[in-house]
Amino acid sequence: MDDQPRLMHSSHGVGMAGHPGLAQHMQDGTGGADGEGRKQDIGDILQQIMTITDQSLDEAQARKHALNCHRMKPALFNVLCEIKEKTVLSIRGAQEEEPPDAQLMRLDNMLLAEGVSGPEKGGGSAAAAAAAAATGGSGSDNSAEHSDYRAKLTQIRQIYHTELEKYEQACNEFTTHVMNLLREQSRTRPISPKEIERMVNIIHRKFSSIQMQLKQSTCEAVMILRSRFLDARRKRRNFNKQATEILNEYFYSHLSNPYPSEEAKEELAKKCSITVSQVSNWFGNKRIRYKKNIGKFQEEANMYAARTAATATNVSTHGSQANSPSTPNSAGGYSSPCYQSDRRIQ
DNA sequence: CCGGATGATTGACG
DNA sequence: CGTCAATCATCCGG
């Protein structure tokens, strides 16, 4: 039975109700042949086919078996095929493949870029590294944040994958179920493989729309995580003591003009293992805070002035004085820096 | 836990 | 674009 040609449009579901022209075909094809008995038979068989989906499974199973063994069954099947063949032409080309969804592609790309849907290790760490670089944090502290970010990303990724797998499994289960159903039904009514395929497509589309929701919420979670991670203000760490000393040293030894050039900033940044913009921030903050309350900083100023003076004398006694000519004005008064520090910045 | 210290951000200005 | 001034958000010592 299975090798009979099967043609049936499946978009109307599994029932036969509403098939046009079936009744008259039956009359035309069988009316004159054998009288009332046959007509009755065919009426029965049709009725059974039409109502088979309304019945409970085991009941239907028994009916189906009876139906398949019915002597009129092959003939009826052929008739159905014939009708189907006529109608299938008008159905063809009704709907075509939809273009790949732009939003879905965007989501996929983003998940891939964030390392959620890509290969296990590479993408995630790369994205985290990029994010870390963007924050411009110093070496020591962002490794902790980095691992924190990584851990959270991994968490998201795991949830995403288990959910995705669940959906996929459910989709496959449902698809095979429907396919079995259709294949089973194709023994009593004509169903073409193409129609089964179309039905599978419909199911897949439905499930992928569910997946899209998953992807969307995953993307959202990643964005939130990322924005929190990238907002450096929320995880500010003080510079280490050495960096602060280097910066202060420069600041107080250039008190008359505490505006490091771009190269000087780069140099300081390298020495302190921070970024140039962090150096700029530091000097900006320092200048404004120093100016605001010079008194508060005087002790500090004296200290650094004394220190630079000491190193300067050390250097000069050793014969080479390479770094002194830059700011003769400010570095000179080491004995009483507190008196000359006023109104330098204005 | 509080308050000052501190790094970063924001908006205005030249 | 660099700087200033105000402000935010966090850190950290007492």
Side-chain angles (χ1 to χ4, degrees):
Chain A
M1 289 175 216
D2 261 346
D3 47 348
Q4 300 182 65
R6 284 177 251 112
L7 295 161
M8 175 67 189
H9 61 285
S10 60
S11 41
H12 286 151
V14 287
M16 287 291 294
H19 207 298
L22 186 54
Q24 93 207 24
H25 199 292
M26 300 302 304
Q27 277 168 354
D28 291 351
T30 62
D34 217 10
E36 286 299 309
R38 244 180 223 184
K39 248 188 205 166
Q40 186 59 39
D41 275 346
I42 292 192
D44 281 350
I45 207 170
L46 255 182
Q47 194 59 37
Q48 286 179 36
I49 290 174
M50 294 228 211
T51 57
I52 205 161
T53 51
D54 298 332
Q55 297 160 353
S56 73
L57 276 180
D58 33 354
E59 193 184 349
Q61 205 62 37
R63 291 267 184 118
K64 245 189 313 194
H65 184 69
L67 210 60
N68 281 331
C69 299
H70 199 281
R71 64 198 166 94
M72 291 297 292
K73 201 257 172 184
L76 179 65
F77 198 93
N78 284 338
V79 172
L80 289 174
C81 285
E82 220 173 284
I83 298 168
K84 187 66 187 302
E85 205 138 9
K86 280 179 197 155
T87 55
V88 80
L89 290 173
S90 61
I91 293 166
R92 176 158 307 166
Q95 91 267 33
E96 265 321 305
E97 282 312 300
E98 85 278 29
D101 189 18
Q103 171 146 20
L104 185 61
M105 275 181 47
R106 238 184 22 166
L107 290 176
D108 276 335
N109 284 341
M110 185 191 151
L111 289 173
L112 206 63
E114 294 296 333
V116 174
S117 60
E120 179 55 50
K121 274 273 159 154
S125 59
T135 61
S138 65
S140 61
D141 60 7
N142 79 13
S143 65
E145 287 186 30
H146 189 124
S147 68
D148 193 35
Y149 178 84
R150 273 264 292 276
K152 290 201 169 121
L153 192 69
T154 309
Q155 208 177 326
I156 290 175
R157 173 202 189 88
Q158 270 170 358
I159 293 170
Y160 172 77
H161 274 114
T162 51
E163 288 296 305
L164 202 65
E165 205 168 317
K166 257 200 290 194
Y167 289 163
E168 226 135 69
Q169 198 180 333
C171 180
N172 283 340
E173 258 170 44
F174 190 67
T175 303
T176 50
H177 179 72
V178 168
M179 275 173 70
N180 284 339
L181 212 65
L182 288 178
R183 223 167 293 173
E184 174 73 15
Q185 289 205 354
S186 71
R187 296 207 285 179
T188 47
R189 65 189 183 89
I191 300 174
S192 75
K194 201 151 202 166
E195 282 160 336
I196 295 182
E197 192 186 317
R198 205 179 310 164
M199 184 57 109
V200 168
N201 269 343
I202 290 170
I203 294 169
H204 281 177
R205 225 170 301 159
K206 281 270 189 276
F207 270 90
S208 76
S209 82
I210 296 174
Q211 279 188 5
M212 181 125 119
Q213 283 175 9
L214 171 66
K215 284 175 182 177
Q216 188 133 31
S217 54
T218 305
C219 274
E220 240 166 71
V222 171
M223 289 307 273
I224 290 169
L225 173 63
R226 208 187 157 101
S227 74
R228 195 171 310 171
F229 180 71
L230 283 178
D231 192 352
R233 262 203 304 205
R234 300 189 195 289
K235 282 275 179 221
R236 181 178 68 75
R237 307 251 60 185
N238 292 355
F239 299 151
N240 59 41
K241 203 136 182 118
Q242 200 178 356
T244 315
E245 292 211 355
I246 292 168
L247 293 167
N248 271 320
E249 212 165 291
Y250 187 98
F251 180 78
Y252 287 112
S253 65
H254 298 73
L255 247 191
S256 65
N257 185 31
Y259 296 86
S261 64
E262 197 57 34
E263 297 102 60
K265 280 183 192 171
E266 278 167 25
E267 171 115 11
L268 286 167
K270 200 184 292 181
K271 274 201 233 171
C272 303
S273 49
I274 58 179
T275 66
V276 173
S277 64
Q278 280 179 305
V279 173
S280 297
N281 284 339
W282 190 91
F283 273 89
N285 283 323
K286 190 73 182 180
R287 280 190 299 261
I288 198 74
R289 283 163 185 164
Y290 180 83
K291 188 180 99 171
K292 242 181 184 171
N293 191 350
I294 295 176
K296 201 169 63 184
F297 288 92
Q298 238 162 48
E299 200 181 331
E300 194 177 67
N302 289 334
M303 194 186 98
Y304 280 103
R307 189 180 307 187
T308 50
T311 58
T313 53
N314 266 358
V315 167
S316 63
T317 50
H318 281 71
S320 86
Q321 41 158 338
N323 58 348
S324 60
S326 57
T327 56
N329 216 1
S330 64
Y334 61 89
S335 56
S336 56
C338 45
Y339 295 134
Q340 69 166 173
S341 61
D342 54 350
R343 76 170 219 291
R344 280 278 154 67
I345 304 172
Q346 229 134 96

